[in-house]
Amino acid sequence: GRLYLNKVFHISANRMFDLLFNDSSFIRRFMNIRKITNASFTAWQKDASGNMKRNLNYTITISNPLIGKFSTATEYQTLYKESRDGQYYLVESEVYTHDVPYHDYFYTQNRYCITRNSKRKCRLKVFTDVKYKKQPWGLVKSFITKNSWSGIEDYFKQLEAELLEEEAEMNQGGGDT
Ligand code: YK8
């Protein structure tokens, strides 16, 4: 796997969780920028093992001309029960893209870890792995991996940039930061 984001933000841990994992205006705006459309979310619900789960469905816009312009996608998110409100949140998300070539071979696993640093600061880490459901031919595998990393890198760079903007907006003129 790879670490795509590892940064301290001047945003509290529970605020960060809300921005990313609840129906926030931040995430709606971010989806707009990424041209992610037709988004629908289920509510967080406890499963039998005590973790919280929710699913997202949306259509992504792809900039790579080799692949096609759009794909529907499903994301399964798990908020692990080890999470502590305001202190520590661990969310694992599995992203399945349904309309790209070789989509039945792979999915992407993202782990988001939010830890409280102080009252108004948190660290956000994102680890990503491309997982294979069945083993493709070597050349296909490197094709999938290469195209996945570049798309994922682009996404998380922009997420970081937008979070920095949100941070600046939230903290401007507040005085008591
Ligand atoms: C989530 C990983 C791969 C996929 C894409 C597939 C290329 C297929 C390769 C063929 C288009 C929002 C990505 C980037 C689409 C976007 C996914 C996003 C960014 C030609 C062999 C969607 C996080 C996420 C995870 C995985 C990303 C896909 O919140 O290259």
Side-chain angles (χ1 to χ4, degrees), residues 12-148:
S12 68
N14 71 306
R15 180 74 194 257
M16 181 63 86
F17 179 80
D18 276 346
L19 292 179
L20 298 178
F21 299 108
N22 278 321
D23 185 17
S24 66
S25 51
F26 172 83
I27 205 70
R28 271 183 265 133
R29 188 162 13 97
F30 184 64
M31 287 181 143
N32 263 331
I33 295 171
R34 298 296 309 180
K35 300 197 176 76
I36 295 174
T37 58
N38 302 319
S40 68
F41 308 68
T42 65
W44 285 108
Q45 264 187 325
K46 198 174 255 173
D47 73 1
S49 59
N51 299 322
M52 304 290 280
K53 300 231 168 185
R54 68 167 191 166
N55 309 330
L56 292 75
N57 282 291
Y58 45 78
T59 304
I60 54 169
T61 305
I62 302 167
S63 47
N64 189 332
L66 292 176
I67 300 170
K69 251 185 126 18
F70 304 101
S71 175
T72 56
T74 306
E75 185 166 339
Y76 299 95
Q77 295 181 342
T78 304
L79 170 64
Y80 281 96
K81 60 173 177 237
E82 288 73 20
S83 302
R84 289 291 167 269
D85 204 27
Q87 301 286 328
Y88 172 73
Y89 301 85
L90 179 60
V91 176
E92 188 178 276
S93 100
E94 290 182 349
V95 183
Y96 294 80
T97 43
H98 305 302
D99 311 304
V100 300
Y102 307 106
H103 61 91
D104 48 336
Y105 282 88
F106 74 101
Y107 63 95
T108 306
Q109 186 188 65
N110 300 314
R111 281 210 183 87
Y112 296 80
C113 181
I114 302 168
T115 44
R116 178 192 149 117
N117 255 30
S118 68
K119 196 173 169 205
R120 293 172 197 279
K121 285 185 184 171
C122 74
R123 179 181 294 276
L124 172 65
K125 289 192 207 174
V126 184
F127 299 90
T128 297
D129 233 337
V130 178
K131 299 272 192 185
Y132 288 90
K133 288 186 277 183
K134 44 186 183 183
Q135 281 305 312
W137 186 44
L139 204 64
V140 170
K141 191 169 176 177
S142 65
F143 191 48
I144 294 172
T145 310
K146 189 173 152 281
N147 281 284
S148 297

